[in-house]
Amino acid sequence: MAVQGPRIYADVNAVVGGYLRDLAFAQSSQQKMFGYKRAAAAIFALDTPLTDLIGPDGAWPKIAGIGPGSARVIREVLETGGSPTVEQAIEASNRPADIQRRRQLRRHFLSRAEVRRILSDPSFAGPTIEQYLGDLQMHSEWSDGSSTVQDIADACLERGYQYSAVTDHSYGLKIAGGMSMAEALQQRNAIDAVNARCGHQFRLLQGIEANIDAAGQLDLTDDQAATFDVVLAAPHSRLRRSEDQTDRMLSAVAHQAVRILAHPRGRITGSRAGVIADWNAVFAAAAERNVAIEIDGDPARQDLDHTLAASALAAGCLFALDSDAHTTTQLSYAETALAHARLAGIPAERIVNCWPLDRLLGWLATPSSERRP
Ligand SMILES: [Zn+2]
């Protein structure tokens, strides 16, 4: 039998996108910086690897957002694997150290084309897209998202999901339009109305993304947390500190209401590393309490990535694979999470979004102190 395991190919779009990001930060003009950032984003979001877009005569189709400067970088990378143009621009800029720091913060990020390749490669042991039954982190108009709960349910049904959870921010996170408990009650009524319309075809759960404060406590009381179908806890502050924050994350995992530790590090590609912690200790505690560890599929987060996810798998953790969508067009971000799960070789059995609704609800209804793997 063939040995299955992570098979990493050169993700050419991620390499090119990275060089274009470098070039953006080497610019002194704001306008040029934004132009190269847009070009980088366009390449990261392409469905197809650049190498497949080029015709036999070396001609390539027009790509929206790619001007002559970016095209030159693409050509250099495809021909040589690197970009002398970008390296020279970095040296000539006044921020070479900052650009090197940002490079380190792009590790293990997958481009959209690479995500698609991984999902269609049958040699990976992880979950297939058909096994994925629902998304457990999404934001609606009730906090910082833009869609109504009905729009979300319709978009989930279109993707073939059997259930999903809307998980708006709780009231402690003012910057993200966190919901008051009075608003949460109104949202519950809106979700009940959606479920009445969907019948047995689909079930929308009311979740909440609670904020983990500096001490590892949540911005919800136990009684408030108990009104939601699923409680995610996630860090949104102290994400640029160099000190260890293991105790903070252990406190969050130990909270009896928490079912999912969402975007555990809070990293952002090319910008910040997020929480520094002894992740093996956090994963061991999560496994002990049957708290699921999230793989957040937002392309800028990819948190956990497949390397840390493999450690969580070894620790015996459950997983939740989520889009963290803020519009219905972002529901496809769940595929980024699926790709990392496939690279890490996580069996579908360990992924709560691959469970049928009854099993998911049973897990959610069991207090973590009573839950044992
Ligand atoms: Zn969040």
Side-chain angles (χ1 to χ4, degrees):
M1 198 182 111
V3 177
Q4 293 201 327
R7 286 171 33 191
I8 313 294
Y9 290 71
D11 182 351
V12 64
N13 292 9
V15 173
V16 169
Y19 275 115
L20 291 174
R21 290 275 299 186
D22 291 345
L23 193 54
F25 287 106
Q27 304 304 310
S28 46
S29 132
Q30 284 267 26
Q31 199 189 348
K32 283 188 175 174
M33 183 181 81
F34 286 128
Y36 285 119
K37 276 190 178 178
R38 264 197 303 276
I43 298 298
F44 270 109
L46 283 177
D47 279 342
T48 310
L50 285 162
T51 37
D52 291 1
L53 287 177
I54 296 177
D57 51 352
W60 54 14
K62 202 166 162 35
I63 303 168
I66 301 300
S70 300
R72 179 172 169 189
V73 172
I74 295 172
R75 212 163 271 128
E76 285 178 355
V77 175
L78 295 187
E79 279 166 14
T80 69
S83 173
T85 298
V86 173
E87 301 300 351
Q88 284 157 20
I90 294 171
E91 252 174 67
S93 78
N94 55 4
R95 51 197 302 192
D98 180 53
I99 292 169
Q100 290 302 338
R101 179 187 68 84
R102 290 175 183 279
R103 278 184 170 176
Q104 294 306 310
L105 298 173
R106 284 202 300 264
R107 294 183 65 210
H108 310 308
F109 279 88
L110 307 173
S111 73
R112 172 74 186 154
E114 181 67 355
V115 165
R116 285 168 53 94
R117 187 192 68 75
I118 291 164
L119 291 186
S120 63
D121 181 343
S123 68
F124 290 102
T128 63
I129 195 155
E130 290 77 20
Q131 288 175 306
Y132 185 72
L133 303 183
D135 197 330
L136 298 176
Q137 190 190 165
M138 293 181 296
H139 299 264
S140 76
E141 58 175 356
W142 290 88
S143 67
D144 58 350
S146 61
S147 311
T148 65
V149 289
Q150 183 66 56
D151 289 344
I152 287 172
D154 291 343
C156 288
L157 267 165
E158 209 162 289
R159 292 181 65 83
Y161 296 167
Q162 297 180 9
Y163 55 80
S164 282
V166 179
T167 57
D168 281 301
H169 293 284
S170 50
Y171 55 80
L173 203 64
K174 297 274 186 297
I175 194 170
M179 273 193 305
S180 68
M181 290 309 292
E183 288 168 328
L185 190 59
Q186 291 173 31
Q187 187 196 43
R188 170 66 78 175
N189 293 332
I191 288 173
D192 286 348
V194 166
N195 283 325
R197 276 193 290 272
C198 290
H200 292 301
Q201 217 186 348
F202 178 79
R203 172 80 171 273
L204 191 60
L205 304 176
Q206 187 190 30
I208 191 84
E209 184 184 356
N211 184 44
I212 302 173
D213 74 11
Q217 298 307 304
L218 305 187
D219 58 345
L220 287 175
T221 67
D222 289 352
D223 286 349
Q224 289 168 342
T227 67
F228 296 96
D229 298 319
V230 53
V231 176
L232 282 59
H236 298 95
S237 61
R238 304 171 73 84
L239 305 176
R240 294 175 186 272
R241 304 294 183 96
S242 55
E243 74 261 25
D244 178 275
Q245 300 189 56
T246 305
D247 288 346
R248 177 191 184 195
M249 302 315 287
L250 286 174
S251 297
V253 166
H255 197 290
Q256 66 159 11
V258 173
R259 294 296 181 272
I260 297 172
L261 182 63
H263 55 72
R265 282 175 294 181
R267 72 169 184 166
I268 295 290
T269 181
S271 171
R272 66 181 189 225
V275 168
I276 310 287
D278 175 353
W279 290 108
N280 284 329
V282 177
F283 297 152
E288 164 84 7
R289 300 178 66 80
N290 262 352
V291 168
I293 300 293
E294 187 183 68
I295 300 180
D296 186 310
D298 180 324
R301 291 190 180 274
Q302 307 197 26
D303 179 15
L304 302 178
D305 64 61
H306 60 92
T307 59
L308 259 190
S311 302
L313 177 66
C317 289
L318 294 172
F319 293 86
L321 312 184
D322 302 325
S323 68
D324 199 354
H326 287 65
T327 70
T328 52
T329 53
Q330 294 174 348
L331 287 176
S332 60
Y333 291 176
E335 292 159 23
T336 311
L338 274 158
H340 280 284
R342 286 170 71 79
L343 285 173
I346 301 169
E349 170 67 19
R350 291 272 201 101
I351 299 168
V352 299
N353 331 53
C354 293
W355 293 351
L357 179 61
D358 285 352
R359 183 173 176 195
L360 177 72
L361 293 177
W363 170 69
L364 291 173
T366 312
S368 58
S369 55
E370 292 170 25
R371 282 183 273 136
R372 286 286 178 271

